[in-house]
Amino acid sequence: MKGLLKYIEKIKPNFEQGGKYEKWHSIFESFETFLFVPGVTTPKKGAHIRDAMDSKRLMSVVVIALIPALLFGMWNTGYQHFLALGETAGFMQEFIHGLIKVLPIVLVSYIAGLGTEFIFVYIKKKEIEEGFLVSGLLIPLIVPVGIPLWMVAVATIIAVVIGKEVFGGTGMNIVNPALLTRAILFFSYPSKMSGDKIWVSGLDNGMVVSDAYSGATPLAQAASTSSEQLTEHGFKFFNGLEKESVTFFDMFMGWIPGSIGETSTLMILIGAAILLYTGVASWKIMFSGLVGAILMGLIFNMFATDTNPFMALPFYDHLVLGGFAFGLVFMATDPVTAAQTEKGKWIYGFLVGFIAILVRVLNPAYPEGMMLAILLMNVFSPLIDYYVVRGNVKKRLKRMSA
Amino acid sequence: MQDLVNIFVKSIFIDNMVFAYFLGMCSYLAVSKTVKTATGLGLAVVFVLGITVPVNYLLENYILKKGALEWLIGDQAATLDLSFLSFIMFIAVIASMVQLVEMVVEKFAPSLYTSLGIFLPLIAVNCAILGGALFMQEREYTSIGEATVFGLGSGIGFFLAIIGIAAIREKIRYSEVPAPLRGIGITFIATGLMAIAFMTFMGIKL
């Protein structure tokens, strides 16, 4: 570390005004402040205190919180692959297979997104903010492993440009760029974002699989359960191999097919603990989102009919299936796009959970409601804030006149 | 009853005038600078749609449709099809309704009248209103109740859209939007993002 700092200090003058590489100052600055806390301190006479905790440090916390889900996702990718093949493999073999599959997606997302970001920073002659650090890691975690890399690149670039840069860059976007990337992928290339073939690596390349293997995610299985099957044995989930059923515990632990980082609720909870302990994410949003989802699940359970057997899925299963947990912990709590007011956070979180389950159950076109529910609340969070602020203004005016 | 609720929910969320059909964009873009004015215009649209759609429904079913004049001239009406007149009739109804609404509002709620200002007469040329009447004709609603509920629902859908974009525009007022995109440009992009978010409801069968 010391050596690195020394090196940076050594080459720094080249990038200062009048230096050799003056043009590249913004990009040098970005790397410097990413690696080390900027060496600027409050002047002696300032009325404010400059905290060492800036947005880059804040975002590194989120990145650390994402690591458990990422590592588990890598292992799970390999595990599902060998399960589909019908072979047994060791832990390391599975992990390395997953690493080979997942790492390129991570790299492509970072290179495409950061590249776009740097171009904009360069044109605007601004220093880069926390930039793309978190989004770049979120994107690989919410796509299926079978996605072609060029699609990731295209969608990432589009999302960064129209979702973020045109609004003025970091901190000013109205929708979460990672979610927008997924939405763009989902609506532009639906065949690569849904179905049974894409969740397990190698399955869409015509890999020879063992008998009776289906790569459907448990969420898709729940959605396609017919009323006859339901009356016969209730909801049953299969772990790819039709014979082996998975329990609630398996789905909680996450060894099921799904998007790379979304399957393991346990790993997401570890991430949530890190986020809540450091105070980076809002517990209000997570809690009220959970309440909203449970409430909607209970309402559906109460009014379950034969025409839509999916309504009978117990509410606690909704919480561990699909991207619900991941979305609620890492996406809905994005401090930029969520509601900013404290009261607004309760409303925002509640509606995210509520709409997610609503769309999941009632909309046969989309197996996963979480992505769209968060996007929808992202665009309406300014409105929630507006009314919360208005209400407060009114209350205080009343108090003043009284 | 359930049909009515379905039509209502559908016209607000699934067949949203702005995000599903991109109708009424001119006033949507022009009057969405602040939430306050947007609320005024949105309410006026709800009101006008809620009145003109059922009135146009009556026109359509008792005068314009093939055989609709039976109550007046008996069997001769069977071959009489006046539906080529529907555009002009609908527009006339909308324009006169807006005038009427304007007069009523001016007389009984002068404060609302002044706060709405030019937006009230502007509604006459809002294509979401004519769109509402034409959708009513195309979708062949079977009772005046359905038509009313559809009109109100469409209005509320427009209302939601316009206050939503107004809040976003208030929020991004101080953002560093690139100069060429400031104003209408960024509003279009935000509208596109909102439309993606509204795809949430597409495909729900009611």
Side-chain angles (χ1 to χ4, degrees):
Chain A
M1 277 317 237
K2 273 257 172 67
L4 193 62
L5 184 62
K6 263 201 188 130
Y7 177 69
I8 285 178
E9 292 295 336
K10 203 181 111 199
I11 62 169
K12 200 170 181 178
N14 289 334
F15 296 93
E16 310 268 89
Q17 228 167 11
K20 229 191 304 179
Y21 306 111
E22 189 191 338
K23 262 198 269 177
W24 304 99
H25 177 258
S26 55
I27 290 169
F28 168 77
E29 216 275 339
S30 315
F31 277 112
E32 191 205 353
T33 51
F34 171 64
L35 290 169
F36 296 103
V37 176
V40 200
T41 48
T42 324
K44 276 224 168 85
K45 279 186 179 160
H48 60 283
I49 295 172
R50 193 185 288 269
D51 195 347
M53 184 80 176
D54 56 8
S55 67
K56 274 181 187 134
R57 255 40 69 183
L58 200 75
M59 289 301 156
S60 334
V61 173
V62 185
V63 171
I64 291 167
L66 281 167
I67 296 292
L70 176 70
L71 292 179
F72 185 89
M74 285 177 177
W75 170 76
N76 191 41
T77 302
Y79 173 72
Q80 296 296 335
H81 175 78
F82 287 109
L83 194 71
L85 275 177
E87 289 172 11
T88 45
F91 176 82
M92 272 328 276
Q93 203 182 350
E94 288 169 343
F95 184 80
I96 285 166
H97 176 90
L99 188 73
I100 292 166
K101 290 285 171 186
V102 175
L103 207 56
I105 305 180
V106 179
L107 287 178
V108 164
S109 126
Y110 266 122
I111 292 169
L114 282 178
T116 320
E117 192 108 351
F118 278 131
I119 291 170
F120 271 83
V121 165
Y122 182 69
I123 295 171
K124 289 198 289 192
K125 299 256 180 295
K126 280 267 157 64
E127 60 178 275
I128 202 165
E129 293 283 320
E130 114 279 26
F132 192 68
L133 283 182
V134 174
S135 310
L137 194 54
L138 281 173
I139 292 167
L141 293 181
I142 52 176
V143 295
V145 68
I147 188 128
L149 292 176
W150 66 269
M151 285 183 189
V152 178
V154 168
T156 306
I157 293 170
I158 294 174
V160 170
V161 172
I162 70 160
K164 192 163 154 192
E165 295 302 339
V166 299
F167 286 94
T170 300
M172 302 181 187
N173 45 318
I174 53 168
V175 297
N176 187 323
L179 264 184
L180 188 63
T181 306
R182 193 180 200 277
I184 288 167
L185 282 172
F186 187 81
F187 291 119
S188 310
Y189 313 107
S191 65
K192 292 288 177 189
M193 287 297 285
S194 50
D196 294 349
K197 296 276 177 225
I198 45 155
W199 307 106
V200 177
S201 79
L203 211 57
D204 56 340
N205 299 336
M207 178 178 79
V208 184
V209 297
S210 63
D211 289 341
Y213 184 82
S214 138
T217 61
L219 183 63
Q221 295 166 15
S224 60
T225 303
S226 69
S227 50
E228 288 89 52
Q229 285 171 322
L230 187 63
T231 42
E232 220 174 278
H233 51 58
F235 279 99
K236 262 201 159 158
F237 304 104
F238 301 101
N239 192 359
L241 301 166
E242 298 279 339
K243 301 162 275 195
E244 274 180 51
S245 71
V246 288
T247 58
F248 180 84
F249 177 74
D250 294 332
M251 294 191 287
F252 177 77
M253 295 304 289
W255 31 75
I256 50 174
S259 293
I260 294 166
E262 69 171 20
T263 56
S264 173
T265 313
L266 178 70
M267 296 299 153
I268 292 162
L269 283 180
I270 294 175
I274 298 175
L275 289 181
L276 291 180
Y277 178 72
T278 52
V280 169
S282 159
W283 65 272
K284 287 172 189 162
I285 293 175
M286 287 190 207
F287 181 73
S288 58
L290 203 61
V291 171
I294 290 175
L295 190 74
M296 193 72 234
L298 283 174
I299 292 174
F300 276 132
N301 288 169
M302 250 191 289
F303 296 101
T305 53
D306 278 354
T307 46
N308 188 354
F310 197 6
M311 283 165 84
L313 184 73
F315 68 91
Y316 47 82
D317 277 349
H318 272 300
L319 306 181
V320 294
L321 282 178
F324 177 81
F326 191 86
L328 191 62
V329 170
F330 293 111
M331 306 291 222
T333 56
D334 174 5
V336 176
T337 56
Q340 315 279 317
T341 50
E342 295 306 307
K343 209 188 279 174
K345 280 177 187 161
W346 288 107
I347 304 168
Y348 167 89
F350 179 82
L351 285 175
V352 165
F354 195 81
I355 295 174
I357 306 300
L358 183 91
V359 172
R360 211 180 243 191
V361 175
L362 287 187
N363 197 341
Y366 309 138
E368 181 51 271
M370 198 56 190
M371 165 183 90
L372 288 160
I374 301 174
L375 272 182
L376 188 72
M377 289 325 293
N378 275 175
V379 301
F380 277 110
S381 67
L383 191 65
I384 297 174
D385 284 340
Y386 176 85
Y387 281 116
V388 171
V389 172
R390 274 301 102 178
N392 205 24
V393 168
K394 226 179 244 171
K395 209 168 67 189
R396 298 187 73 160
L397 275 179
K398 217 190 243 163
R399 204 191 304 155
M400 210 171 71
S401 63
Chain B
M1 188 60 203
Q2 204 181 346
D3 282 353
L4 292 185
V5 174
N6 283 355
I7 289 175
F8 188 64
V9 173
K10 216 173 155 187
S11 55
I12 296 178
F13 293 110
I14 303 168
D15 293 335
N16 187 290
M17 278 288 176
V18 175
F19 297 129
Y21 297 103
F22 279 73
L23 287 175
M25 289 309 278
C26 23
S27 41
Y28 170 83
L29 293 171
V31 196
S32 57
K33 284 207 183 73
T34 62
V35 178
K36 215 174 153 209
T37 53
T39 312
L41 185 89
L43 287 178
V45 168
V46 175
F47 192 69
V48 172
L49 262 174
I51 291 177
T52 57
V53 173
V55 169
N56 281 331
Y57 174 84
L58 292 178
L59 262 183
E60 160 83 3
N61 279 285
Y62 292 98
I63 294 178
L64 295 174
K65 221 158 77 176
K66 197 175 180 187
L69 273 172
E70 208 183 344
W71 59 277
L72 189 66
I73 51 173
D75 289 344
Q76 280 174 301
T79 55
L80 192 59
D81 185 1
L82 291 177
S83 47
F84 63 91
L85 285 175
S86 51
F87 276 89
I88 198 155
M89 291 290 273
F90 288 170
I91 291 177
V93 166
I94 290 165
S96 49
M97 268 308 151
V98 170
Q99 283 299 307
L100 204 69
V101 167
E102 205 185 338
M103 282 188 240
V104 171
V105 172
E106 190 180 10
K107 174 89 179 129
F108 292 105
S111 61
L112 180 66
Y113 180 78
T114 43
S115 71
L116 281 179
I118 185 73
F119 311 132
L120 202 51
L122 263 183
I123 295 171
V125 290
N126 186 340
C127 41
I129 312 278
L130 181 65
L134 294 175
F135 278 135
M136 175 274 297
Q137 187 184 32
E138 187 188 300
R139 291 179 190 156
E140 297 176 340
Y141 290 120
T142 50
S143 72
I144 189 159
E146 289 185 2
T148 316
V149 162
F150 168 71
L152 283 174
S154 301
I156 293 170
F158 183 88
F159 175 74
L160 262 185
I162 197 168
I163 57 172
I165 191 77
I168 291 178
R169 286 182 77 172
E170 280 199 18
K171 183 184 173 184
I172 63 176
R173 184 171 303 153
Y174 300 109
S175 297
E176 276 176 80
V177 176
L181 283 173
R182 284 202 190 123
I184 295 295
I186 198 71
T187 313
F188 265 115
I189 293 175
T191 307
L193 295 179
M194 287 178 86
I196 292 180
F198 255 75
M199 305 262 296
T200 312
F201 302 108
M202 313 250 146
I204 293 185
K205 296 226 167 42
L206 286 176

